[in-house]
PDB file of all heavy atoms in Angstrom:
ATOM      1  N   GLU B  40     123.967 228.075 101.161  1.00  0.00           N
ATOM      2  CA  GLU B  40     124.195 227.009 100.187  1.00  0.00           C
ATOM      3  C   GLU B  40     123.634 225.704 100.628  1.00  0.00           C
ATOM      4  O   GLU B  40     123.104 224.916  99.848  1.00  0.00           O
ATOM      5  CB  GLU B  40     125.746 226.810 100.011  1.00  0.00           C
ATOM      6  CG  GLU B  40     126.322 227.860  99.067  1.00  0.00           C
ATOM      7  CD  GLU B  40     127.842 227.771  99.074  1.00  0.00           C
ATOM      8  OE1 GLU B  40     128.457 227.740 100.101  1.00  0.00           O
ATOM      9  OE2 GLU B  40     128.379 227.677  97.907  1.00  0.00           O
ATOM     10  N   GLY B  59     112.273 222.136 102.272  1.00  0.00           N
ATOM     11  CA  GLY B  59     113.695 222.232 102.427  1.00  0.00           C
ATOM     12  C   GLY B  59     114.083 222.593 103.882  1.00  0.00           C
ATOM     13  O   GLY B  59     115.024 222.104 104.379  1.00  0.00           O
ATOM     14  N   ILE B  66     118.492 217.185 109.625  1.00  0.00           N
ATOM     15  CA  ILE B  66     119.869 216.786 109.424  1.00  0.00           C
ATOM     16  C   ILE B  66     120.694 217.256 110.680  1.00  0.00           C
ATOM     17  O   ILE B  66     121.509 216.594 111.246  1.00  0.00           O
ATOM     18  CB  ILE B  66     120.563 217.227 108.127  1.00  0.00           C
ATOM     19  CG1 ILE B  66     119.867 216.459 107.017  1.00  0.00           C
ATOM     20  CG2 ILE B  66     122.042 217.014 108.120  1.00  0.00           C
ATOM     21  CD1 ILE B  66     120.376 216.896 105.593  1.00  0.00           C
ATOM     22  N   THR B  69     120.223 215.358 113.920  1.00  0.00           N
ATOM     23  CA  THR B  69     120.447 213.898 114.035  1.00  0.00           C
ATOM     24  C   THR B  69     121.832 213.548 114.476  1.00  0.00           C
ATOM     25  O   THR B  69     122.853 214.022 114.070  1.00  0.00           O
ATOM     26  CB  THR B  69     120.194 213.333 112.548  1.00  0.00           C
ATOM     27  OG1 THR B  69     119.000 213.789 112.011  1.00  0.00           O
ATOM     28  CG2 THR B  69     120.228 211.786 112.548  1.00  0.00           C
ATOM     29  N   LEU B  77     128.023 196.283 103.068  1.00  0.00           N
ATOM     30  CA  LEU B  77     128.530 194.859 102.696  1.00  0.00           C
ATOM     31  C   LEU B  77     128.705 194.737 101.196  1.00  0.00           C
ATOM     32  O   LEU B  77     127.846 195.115 100.431  1.00  0.00           O
ATOM     33  CB  LEU B  77     127.612 193.816 103.258  1.00  0.00           C
ATOM     34  CG  LEU B  77     127.287 193.930 104.752  1.00  0.00           C
ATOM     35  CD1 LEU B  77     126.124 192.924 105.034  1.00  0.00           C
ATOM     36  CD2 LEU B  77     128.463 193.645 105.583  1.00  0.00           C
ATOM     37  N   LEU B  90     130.916 207.329  95.669  1.00  0.00           N
ATOM     38  CA  LEU B  90     132.007 208.263  95.737  1.00  0.00           C
ATOM     39  C   LEU B  90     131.735 209.426  94.745  1.00  0.00           C
ATOM     40  O   LEU B  90     132.408 210.461  94.864  1.00  0.00           O
ATOM     41  CB  LEU B  90     133.306 207.592  95.282  1.00  0.00           C
ATOM     42  CG  LEU B  90     133.881 206.540  96.289  1.00  0.00           C
ATOM     43  CD1 LEU B  90     135.126 205.959  95.674  1.00  0.00           C
ATOM     44  CD2 LEU B  90     134.107 207.141  97.608  1.00  0.00           C
ATOM     45  N   LEU B 105     126.559 210.269 108.776  1.00  0.00           N
ATOM     46  CA  LEU B 105     126.457 208.855 109.111  1.00  0.00           C
ATOM     47  C   LEU B 105     127.872 208.456 109.648  1.00  0.00           C
ATOM     48  O   LEU B 105     128.886 209.043 109.293  1.00  0.00           O
ATOM     49  CB  LEU B 105     126.101 207.979 107.823  1.00  0.00           C
ATOM     50  CG  LEU B 105     124.894 208.389 107.089  1.00  0.00           C
ATOM     51  CD1 LEU B 105     124.788 207.556 105.834  1.00  0.00           C
ATOM     52  CD2 LEU B 105     123.640 208.011 108.057  1.00  0.00           C
ATOM     53  N   ALA B 128     130.014 196.839 115.387  1.00  0.00           N
ATOM     54  CA  ALA B 128     128.941 197.699 114.972  1.00  0.00           C
ATOM     55  C   ALA B 128     127.537 196.992 115.050  1.00  0.00           C
ATOM     56  O   ALA B 128     126.634 197.535 115.519  1.00  0.00           O
ATOM     57  CB  ALA B 128     129.136 198.123 113.481  1.00  0.00           C
ATOM     58  N   LYS B 130     126.797 194.440 117.002  1.00  0.00           N
ATOM     59  CA  LYS B 130     126.502 194.098 118.438  1.00  0.00           C
ATOM     60  C   LYS B 130     126.145 195.406 119.152  1.00  0.00           C
ATOM     61  O   LYS B 130     125.067 195.477 119.826  1.00  0.00           O
ATOM     62  CB  LYS B 130     127.735 193.532 119.032  1.00  0.00           C
ATOM     63  CG  LYS B 130     127.585 192.871 120.468  1.00  0.00           C
ATOM     64  CD  LYS B 130     128.748 192.013 120.818  1.00  0.00           C
ATOM     65  CE  LYS B 130     128.956 192.046 122.332  1.00  0.00           C
ATOM     66  NZ  LYS B 130     130.011 193.002 122.684  1.00  0.00           N
ATOM     67  N   HIS B 132     125.055 198.231 118.114  1.00  0.00           N
ATOM     68  CA  HIS B 132     123.978 199.032 117.531  1.00  0.00           C
ATOM     69  C   HIS B 132     122.828 198.195 117.052  1.00  0.00           C
ATOM     70  O   HIS B 132     122.110 198.522 116.103  1.00  0.00           O
ATOM     71  CB  HIS B 132     124.457 199.970 116.437  1.00  0.00           C
ATOM     72  CG  HIS B 132     125.608 200.829 116.885  1.00  0.00           C
ATOM     73  ND1 HIS B 132     125.451 201.995 117.543  1.00  0.00           N
ATOM     74  CD2 HIS B 132     126.959 200.701 116.750  1.00  0.00           C
ATOM     75  CE1 HIS B 132     126.642 202.562 117.928  1.00  0.00           C
ATOM     76  NE2 HIS B 132     127.581 201.863 117.325  1.00  0.00           N
ATOM     77  N   GLU B 141     125.748 195.598  98.621  1.00  0.00           N
ATOM     78  CA  GLU B 141     126.152 195.739  97.223  1.00  0.00           C
ATOM     79  C   GLU B 141     126.534 194.317  96.678  1.00  0.00           C
ATOM     80  O   GLU B 141     127.284 193.678  97.288  1.00  0.00           O
ATOM     81  CB  GLU B 141     127.325 196.694  97.114  1.00  0.00           C
ATOM     82  CG  GLU B 141     127.947 196.836  95.708  1.00  0.00           C
ATOM     83  CD  GLU B 141     128.982 197.883  95.645  1.00  0.00           C
ATOM     84  OE1 GLU B 141     129.496 198.415  96.768  1.00  0.00           O
ATOM     85  OE2 GLU B 141     129.401 198.172  94.549  1.00  0.00           O
ATOM     86  N   SER B 162     125.721 183.814 105.107  1.00  0.00           N
ATOM     87  CA  SER B 162     125.653 183.820 106.635  1.00  0.00           C
ATOM     88  C   SER B 162     125.886 185.215 107.116  1.00  0.00           C
ATOM     89  O   SER B 162     125.276 185.661 108.089  1.00  0.00           O
ATOM     90  CB  SER B 162     126.581 182.869 107.207  1.00  0.00           C
ATOM     91  OG  SER B 162     127.822 183.324 107.394  1.00  0.00           O
ATOM     92  N   CYS B 168     122.008 191.885 108.072  1.00  0.00           N
ATOM     93  CA  CYS B 168     120.726 192.444 107.674  1.00  0.00           C
ATOM     94  C   CYS B 168     119.627 192.043 108.645  1.00  0.00           C
ATOM     95  O   CYS B 168     118.692 192.913 108.910  1.00  0.00           O
ATOM     96  CB  CYS B 168     120.344 191.958 106.255  1.00  0.00           C
ATOM     97  SG  CYS B 168     121.581 192.503 105.065  1.00  0.00           S
ATOM     98  N   GLY B 169     119.795 190.969 109.288  1.00  0.00           N
ATOM     99  CA  GLY B 169     118.734 190.463 110.241  1.00  0.00           C
ATOM    100  C   GLY B 169     118.664 191.358 111.430  1.00  0.00           C
ATOM    101  O   GLY B 169     117.584 191.448 111.992  1.00  0.00           O
ATOM    102  N   PHE B 183     117.968 192.419  92.768  1.00  0.00           N
ATOM    103  CA  PHE B 183     117.257 191.295  92.112  1.00  0.00           C
ATOM    104  C   PHE B 183     118.208 190.176  91.712  1.00  0.00           C
ATOM    105  O   PHE B 183     117.748 189.214  91.040  1.00  0.00           O
ATOM    106  CB  PHE B 183     116.695 191.864  90.794  1.00  0.00           C
ATOM    107  CG  PHE B 183     115.762 192.976  91.017  1.00  0.00           C
ATOM    108  CD1 PHE B 183     115.867 194.196  90.302  1.00  0.00           C
ATOM    109  CD2 PHE B 183     114.643 192.923  91.859  1.00  0.00           C
ATOM    110  CE1 PHE B 183     115.011 195.313  90.456  1.00  0.00           C
ATOM    111  CE2 PHE B 183     113.738 193.996  91.964  1.00  0.00           C
ATOM    112  CZ  PHE B 183     113.937 195.199  91.331  1.00  0.00           C
ATOM    113  N   LEU B 197     121.302 185.378  94.448  1.00  0.00           N
ATOM    114  CA  LEU B 197     119.985 185.987  94.818  1.00  0.00           C
ATOM    115  C   LEU B 197     120.287 187.442  95.256  1.00  0.00           C
ATOM    116  O   LEU B 197     121.337 187.843  95.698  1.00  0.00           O
ATOM    117  CB  LEU B 197     119.386 185.277  96.021  1.00  0.00           C
ATOM    118  CG  LEU B 197     119.058 183.807  95.839  1.00  0.00           C
ATOM    119  CD1 LEU B 197     118.570 183.199  97.088  1.00  0.00           C
ATOM    120  CD2 LEU B 197     117.944 183.652  94.726  1.00  0.00           C
ATOM    121  N   ALA B 202     117.478 186.264  99.575  1.00  0.00           N
ATOM    122  CA  ALA B 202     118.532 185.652 100.359  1.00  0.00           C
ATOM    123  C   ALA B 202     118.389 185.753 101.856  1.00  0.00           C
ATOM    124  O   ALA B 202     118.845 184.904 102.625  1.00  0.00           O
ATOM    125  CB  ALA B 202     119.972 186.202 100.013  1.00  0.00           C
ATOM    126  N   ASN B 211     114.953 198.790  98.125  1.00  0.00           N
ATOM    127  CA  ASN B 211     115.721 198.461  96.977  1.00  0.00           C
ATOM    128  C   ASN B 211     115.971 199.676  96.045  1.00  0.00           C
ATOM    129  O   ASN B 211     115.105 200.403  95.746  1.00  0.00           O
ATOM    130  CB  ASN B 211     114.871 197.405  96.105  1.00  0.00           C
ATOM    131  CG  ASN B 211     114.992 196.039  96.676  1.00  0.00           C
ATOM    132  OD1 ASN B 211     115.944 195.721  97.388  1.00  0.00           O
ATOM    133  ND2 ASN B 211     113.898 195.297  96.455  1.00  0.00           N
ATOM    134  N   ALA B 251     108.131 205.892  84.371  1.00  0.00           N
ATOM    135  CA  ALA B 251     108.958 205.376  83.358  1.00  0.00           C
ATOM    136  C   ALA B 251     109.870 206.368  82.758  1.00  0.00           C
ATOM    137  O   ALA B 251     109.473 207.600  82.594  1.00  0.00           O
ATOM    138  CB  ALA B 251     108.053 204.713  82.230  1.00  0.00           C
ATOM    139  N   HIS B 261     110.141 213.497  70.011  1.00  0.00           N
ATOM    140  CA  HIS B 261     110.447 212.888  68.806  1.00  0.00           C
ATOM    141  C   HIS B 261     109.820 211.470  68.592  1.00  0.00           C
ATOM    142  O   HIS B 261     109.448 211.089  67.530  1.00  0.00           O
ATOM    143  CB  HIS B 261     111.978 212.693  68.697  1.00  0.00           C
ATOM    144  CG  HIS B 261     112.746 214.014  68.597  1.00  0.00           C
ATOM    145  ND1 HIS B 261     112.508 214.887  67.478  1.00  0.00           N
ATOM    146  CD2 HIS B 261     113.614 214.661  69.429  1.00  0.00           C
ATOM    147  CE1 HIS B 261     113.298 215.919  67.717  1.00  0.00           C
ATOM    148  NE2 HIS B 261     113.971 215.850  68.804  1.00  0.00           N
ATOM    149  N   GLY B 275     119.472 211.894  62.276  1.00  0.00           N
ATOM    150  CA  GLY B 275     118.525 211.927  63.377  1.00  0.00           C
ATOM    151  C   GLY B 275     119.314 211.634  64.726  1.00  0.00           C
ATOM    152  O   GLY B 275     118.957 212.174  65.763  1.00  0.00           O
ATOM    153  N   ASN B 295     114.488 207.544  87.675  1.00  0.00           N
ATOM    154  CA  ASN B 295     114.394 209.033  87.409  1.00  0.00           C
ATOM    155  C   ASN B 295     115.696 209.498  86.705  1.00  0.00           C
ATOM    156  O   ASN B 295     116.018 210.714  86.841  1.00  0.00           O
ATOM    157  CB  ASN B 295     114.275 209.748  88.836  1.00  0.00           C
ATOM    158  CG  ASN B 295     115.317 209.278  89.769  1.00  0.00           C
ATOM    159  OD1 ASN B 295     116.177 208.437  89.496  1.00  0.00           O
ATOM    160  ND2 ASN B 295     115.284 209.911  90.978  1.00  0.00           N
ATOM    161  N   PHE B 340     104.312 202.028  66.692  1.00  0.00           N
ATOM    162  CA  PHE B 340     104.843 202.995  67.672  1.00  0.00           C
ATOM    163  C   PHE B 340     104.899 204.344  66.952  1.00  0.00           C
ATOM    164  O   PHE B 340     104.746 204.515  65.800  1.00  0.00           O
ATOM    165  CB  PHE B 340     106.280 202.563  68.034  1.00  0.00           C
ATOM    166  CG  PHE B 340     107.117 202.176  66.880  1.00  0.00           C
ATOM    167  CD1 PHE B 340     107.720 203.074  66.072  1.00  0.00           C
ATOM    168  CD2 PHE B 340     107.350 200.796  66.657  1.00  0.00           C
ATOM    169  CE1 PHE B 340     108.498 202.680  65.052  1.00  0.00           C
ATOM    170  CE2 PHE B 340     108.190 200.450  65.608  1.00  0.00           C
ATOM    171  CZ  PHE B 340     108.737 201.372  64.821  1.00  0.00           C
ATOM    172  N   GLY B 350     103.276 199.292  78.135  1.00  0.00           N
ATOM    173  CA  GLY B 350     103.149 198.925  79.500  1.00  0.00           C
ATOM    174  C   GLY B 350     102.697 197.441  79.622  1.00  0.00           C
ATOM    175  O   GLY B 350     103.218 196.781  80.476  1.00  0.00           O
ATOM    176  N   GLY B 356     105.180 187.661  81.062  1.00  0.00           N
ATOM    177  CA  GLY B 356     105.860 186.794  82.023  1.00  0.00           C
ATOM    178  C   GLY B 356     107.344 186.327  81.497  1.00  0.00           C
ATOM    179  O   GLY B 356     107.591 186.580  80.338  1.00  0.00           O
ATOM    180  N   GLY B 365     114.767 184.352  72.193  1.00  0.00           N
ATOM    181  CA  GLY B 365     115.359 183.102  71.600  1.00  0.00           C
ATOM    182  C   GLY B 365     116.577 182.532  72.344  1.00  0.00           C
ATOM    183  O   GLY B 365     117.301 181.692  71.776  1.00  0.00           O
ATOM    184  N   LYS B 374     113.336 176.182  85.110  1.00  0.00           N
ATOM    185  CA  LYS B 374     112.702 174.899  85.237  1.00  0.00           C
ATOM    186  C   LYS B 374     113.290 174.104  86.502  1.00  0.00           C
ATOM    187  O   LYS B 374     112.560 173.508  87.210  1.00  0.00           O
ATOM    188  CB  LYS B 374     112.848 174.052  83.999  1.00  0.00           C
ATOM    189  CG  LYS B 374     111.883 174.466  82.944  1.00  0.00           C
ATOM    190  CD  LYS B 374     112.017 173.601  81.757  1.00  0.00           C
ATOM    191  CE  LYS B 374     111.052 174.139  80.589  1.00  0.00           C
ATOM    192  NZ  LYS B 374     111.419 173.543  79.306  1.00  0.00           N
TER     193      LYS B 374
END
Side-chain angles (χ1 to χ4, degrees):
Chain B
E40 282 173 309
I66 290 178
T69 310
L77 306 173
L90 294 178
L105 303 171
K130 189 164 148 264
H132 304 278
E141 173 174 12
S162 87
C168 300
F183 304 125
L197 297 174
N211 284 331
H261 293 296
N295 55 356
F340 46 79
K374 282 184 183 163

